[in-house]
Amino acid sequence: MVRQVSLSVFNGLLALWLAGLPNLVFYKQIAHLASFNSVGAFLFAGITSLILSSFYYFVLQLFSWRLTAKVLAIFLIVLTGLTSYFTNQLGIKIDVAQVQNLMQTDLHETLDLLSFPFVLHILGYVVLPCIVVFLICIQPQSWQKTVQHKLIGIVCAFALMGVGLFSFYGQYAPIFRENRELKAQITPLNIISGSSSYLKSFVHQVNQPLVQYGTDAVQTHPQDKKVFVLVIGETGRAESWSLDGYNRPTNPNLQKLDIINFSQASSCGTQTAVSVPCMFSGMPRKAYDENLASHREGLLDIAQRAGYEVTWIDNNAGCKGTCNRIKTYITPCKNGECDDGVLLEALNDTLQKLDVKNLQKNQLIVLHQMGSHGPAYYKRYPQNFEKFKPVCATNNIQDCSHQDLINTYDNTILYTDDVLAQTINQLKALNVATGLFYVSDHGESTGEHGLYLHGTPYFIAPSQQTHVPMLMWFSPQWKDETKIKSCLQSQRATSVSQDNLFPTVLGLLQIKTQVLNPSLNLLEQCK
C-alpha cells in the first residue's frame, strides 16, 4: 500500500536514516571518546545522533523539494550505503585522499572489493531503502504551505542542533579538536566533502602549463655505462619483512644477497596516489604540493633530459602522472590481473633488446609492482608461494581470523622477495654496471586497531601504513661500488624516507643539477 506523507515528514524520515545505522561506528567512537560512564556514553551517542539527524534535516529542508525529493533521496541513500560499508566494516576514513584513490582505481581493483557480505550490505542499506522511497507518495501542497512547513522545520532543526551542541560543547570541542579524522567517518557527509575537495583540486590542475624542472641536468660521467632498476613496491610494510626484524622467514632469497637494507624507512603518504608522485617530485613530504607536482617535471624527466633512456614497466594502475612524458611505457599484463612475474618477463625482454657491450644510452628502468595490493591478497602470488597457512582466500578480509589474514599477507611478501631476488639475478648476468633500488609506496593495515587496507590520514596513520621496506643492491662493476656500499651500509639503521629517493637516485645516476638537495642525498652523508 502506498503511504502518503508530507514533504517535511519525508525529509525527516530520510534524515533519520542517513544519520542512523550507516554511522554506527562513528557513534561507537564518540561514545568511547566521551568522558562518561557506560550509560552516559550511550546517551551522549544518542544526543550526537539527534544533532546529526537535525543537521541533515536542516539541509534537506533547504534543498529538497517535492519534484526532486525522491531523486535526491536515492542519490544520498546510494552514497551512504556504499561508504558505510567501508567505514563500518573496514574502518576506512573517507576523505579527499580516498576519493582520489577511487577516481584512479581501475576496474580490476574495484572488482576485488566485491564480496557476498558487500552485496548483502547493499541490499539492506541501498536497495531496501530505495524501494521504501518508491513506495512513499509525497502529498502535493500549495507553495505557501510548503514554504511555511520548511521554515518551521528549519527553525526546529536549528534549535535542536544549537541546544545539543551548546549543552555538550565541553565534550565535543576537545573530541573533534584532538580527533580530526572523526569527520571522515560521518556518512554521507564524508564522501560529499571529499568529492567536493577533489573536484576543486582536479579543476584547478586541468590545463596547467608544464613547469620545467632540473633543466641544467647533465651526466657527469656518461662514459660509465650502467643499467639501473628502480622498483616501486605496492602495499608492502616493513613490519612483515624478516629483513626488518619480523620473526617469520619472509625474505629468504634477499637475505642471501649482498643488499643494503634500510630498516627505518617511512613513506610520503598512505596511498599510491600521494606517495608515488611525491617520491618522484623532488619535494619532501612536509613541503609536498600535490597541485604543483601534477604539472611539474620530476625525476624521470630529469633523467631523460640528462641522456638516460627511461622505461616504465607497469603491473599496477598506472604511474599517477609521473611517467607522462616518458617515451617507453610497458604494460605486460594483458589479461586482467597478473602477478608480478610479468614484470620479470618484461624486464628480461627489455634487457635482451639492449646491446649491453655497445650500450648507446645509460638505462633507467622502473618496475611498478602489484605487490601486496588488498583486499584480495590471495591473488597476489602463485600457488607455490602459499607457504603460510591457513589463508584468507576471500576479499571479505574483515571476516577472516587475524592469523589467516596475516598468513595470506605474508605470502605476498614472500613472493615479492622472490621477484626482487630474480630481478637482481637478471642484472647480475649483464656484463655492465647494474644497480637496484626498491621501496614500497606505503604499508598496509590488516586489522590492527580495527583498521584494514590503507589510506588513513597521515597524521594518525599507524606504523603499519607508513613504515615501509627499502633496499639497494649494486654489481661489482658499479663505479666506486665498495665505497658507495660502505656509505649506505652505515645508514641502514638510521631514519630515512621516500624524501631521499629523488636526490639519491640522481646521485647514483651521476646526474648533476641544482635542484638536487644534497642534505637528502644519502651518498652525501659520508663526505
Side-chain angles (χ1 to χ4, degrees):
M1 183 178 68
V2 176
R3 174 75 178 182
Q4 282 198 346
V5 298
S6 67
L7 177 61
S8 294
V9 171
F10 180 84
N11 287 340
L13 293 173
L14 178 58
L16 288 171
W17 169 250
L18 296 177
L21 283 177
N23 288 287
L24 186 59
V25 166
F26 167 69
Y27 296 132
K28 288 181 178 179
Q29 187 70 4
I30 280 286
H32 174 72
L33 294 171
S35 58
F36 295 114
N37 57 29
S38 57
V39 176
F42 178 80
L43 292 175
F44 181 65
I47 294 297
T48 305
S49 174
L50 181 62
I51 293 172
L52 186 58
S53 299
S54 300
F55 170 74
Y56 284 147
Y57 186 60
F58 176 85
V59 174
L60 289 170
Q61 286 292 83
L62 285 175
F63 297 105
S64 177
W65 298 80
R66 183 173 178 271
L67 294 179
T68 59
K70 288 192 175 184
V71 174
L72 179 60
I74 291 171
F75 173 73
L76 292 174
I77 288 170
V78 171
L79 283 183
T80 303
L82 289 172
T83 55
S84 64
Y85 177 80
F86 298 102
T87 55
N88 288 352
Q89 299 298 320
L90 299 176
I92 293 175
K93 277 63 172 186
I94 307 296
D95 57 8
V96 62
Q98 290 293 359
V99 173
Q100 184 179 27
N101 280 340
L102 174 65
M103 298 305 294
Q104 297 184 8
T105 295
D106 61 23
L107 177 61
H108 300 292
E109 290 180 355
T110 302
L111 292 176
D112 280 342
L113 296 171
L114 300 181
S115 63
F116 183 66
F118 177 77
V119 173
L120 288 179
H121 181 90
I122 295 303
L123 288 174
Y125 282 74
V126 176
V127 176
L128 185 59
C130 285
I131 291 174
V132 173
V133 168
F134 276 115
L135 293 177
I136 292 177
C137 180
I138 302 176
Q139 296 172 346
Q141 289 179 323
S142 65
W143 71 268
Q144 295 95 334
K145 184 169 287 188
T146 298
V147 171
Q148 181 184 5
H149 287 178
K150 278 183 171 291
L151 288 174
I152 294 172
I154 288 171
V155 171
C156 291
F158 191 79
L160 282 174
M161 283 190 292
V163 170
L165 290 170
F166 180 79
S167 300
F168 293 94
Y169 179 79
Q171 291 287 331
Y172 289 122
I175 286 175
F176 282 94
R177 184 170 57 246
E178 300 299 324
N179 303 274
R180 290 178 291 168
E181 74 280 5
L182 279 175
K183 64 180 182 180
Q185 293 179 297
I186 306 173
T187 61
L189 192 62
N190 48 11
I191 186 68
I192 294 173
S193 175
S195 299
S196 176
S197 298
Y198 174 78
L199 183 61
K200 289 178 182 177
S201 175
F202 179 79
V203 170
H204 185 66
Q205 292 174 10
V206 171
N207 297 323
Q208 290 270 38
L210 178 66
V211 177
Q212 291 190 320
Y213 193 56
T215 56
D216 61 333
V218 293
Q219 292 185 64
T220 56
H221 298 84
Q223 71 278 5
D224 297 337
K225 300 304 179 184
K226 60 178 68 67
V227 176
F228 192 77
V229 173
L230 175 58
V231 183
I232 305 301
E234 169 65 52
T235 323
R237 68 184 190 191
E239 183 178 287
S240 298
W241 280 56
S242 56
L243 286 171
D244 292 324
Y246 189 42
N247 59 9
R248 273 183 160 181
T250 53
N251 301 124
N253 297 298
L254 289 173
Q255 286 181 329
K256 299 174 185 177
L257 298 173
D258 188 18
I259 62 170
I260 304 107
N261 180 68
F262 297 88
S263 61
Q264 300 300 321
S266 60
S267 66
C268 184
T270 60
Q271 58 274 331
T272 307
V274 173
S275 287
V276 170
C278 179
M279 72 174 85
F280 282 92
S281 70
M283 290 179 267
R285 182 183 69 82
K286 292 183 179 179
Y288 178 60
D289 184 337
E290 180 182 351
N291 177 54
L292 177 59
S294 70
H295 65 280
R296 190 179 79 171
E297 293 178 335
L299 171 61
L300 303 186
D301 301 281
I302 293 173
Q304 190 166 255
R305 177 179 290 117
Y308 273 80
E309 183 174 350
V310 183
T311 302
W312 184 286
I313 305 176
D314 199 280
N315 189 35
N316 205 305
C319 65
K320 311 307 178 187
T322 60
C323 65
N324 286 355
R325 294 163 295 278
I326 302 309
K327 295 178 182 177
T328 307
Y329 180 92
I330 301 171
T331 51
C333 183
K334 307 298 182 183
N335 301 310
E337 292 187 0
C338 303
D339 62 50
D340 285 330
V342 297
L343 293 176
L344 296 170
E345 296 170 7
L347 176 62
N348 184 59
D349 291 342
T350 301
L351 294 176
Q352 286 186 349
K353 292 175 184 177
L354 297 176
D355 183 0
V356 175
K357 292 183 179 180
N358 301 289
L359 199 63
Q360 297 299 310
K361 281 189 173 185
N362 287 335
Q363 303 290 315
L364 172 58
I365 302 171
V366 184
L367 305 182
H368 190 196
Q369 292 184 310
M370 178 60 76
S372 304
H373 197 290
Y377 305 117
Y378 68 100
K379 292 183 179 181
R380 302 297 170 239
Y381 53 86
Q383 192 66 32
N384 59 311
F385 282 87
E386 196 167 277
K387 176 180 178 179
F388 305 109
K389 299 179 181 181
V391 298
C392 176
T394 174
N395 54 3
N396 190 41
I397 55 177
Q398 69 275 17
D399 287 345
C400 290
S401 73
H402 184 64
Q403 189 57 56
D404 289 2
L405 186 56
I406 291 296
N407 290 343
T408 318
Y409 182 82
D410 287 352
N411 288 331
T412 70
I413 302 300
L414 188 68
Y415 184 52
T416 291
D417 168 81
D418 182 74
V419 170
L420 290 175
Q422 287 196 56
T423 303
I424 290 173
N425 288 331
Q426 285 189 33
L427 295 176
K428 275 185 177 180
L430 300 180
N431 188 27
V432 68
T434 55
L436 177 140
F437 188 130
Y438 166 83
V439 65
S440 183
D441 59 351
H442 54 78
E444 185 86 330
S445 289
T446 53
E448 301 84 6
H449 313 292
L451 297 176
Y452 293 89
L453 305 178
H454 51 269
T456 302
Y458 201 94
F459 69 96
I460 59 158
S463 62
Q464 287 84 8
Q465 296 187 30
T466 59
H467 184 197
V468 294
M470 178 171 139
L471 60 88
M472 299 186 206
W473 170 88
F474 301 95
S475 71
Q477 297 96 325
W478 194 273
K479 184 178 180 181
D480 297 328
E481 180 251 0
T482 302
K483 181 180 178 181
I484 288 173
K485 285 173 62 176
S486 176
C487 172
L488 295 174
Q489 286 282 14
S490 68
Q491 302 171 74
R492 64 187 184 275
T494 61
S495 179
V496 297
S497 73
Q498 291 174 351
D499 293 353
N500 300 111
L501 182 142
F502 179 94
T504 303
V505 169
L506 289 179
L508 289 168
L509 299 181
Q510 297 178 308
I511 295 175
K512 182 180 179 181
T513 171
Q514 291 183 351
V515 303
L516 192 157
N517 183 350
S519 66
L520 293 174
N521 182 359
L522 296 178
L523 301 178
E524 293 286 331
Q525 307 311 309
C526 301
K527 292 184 178 180

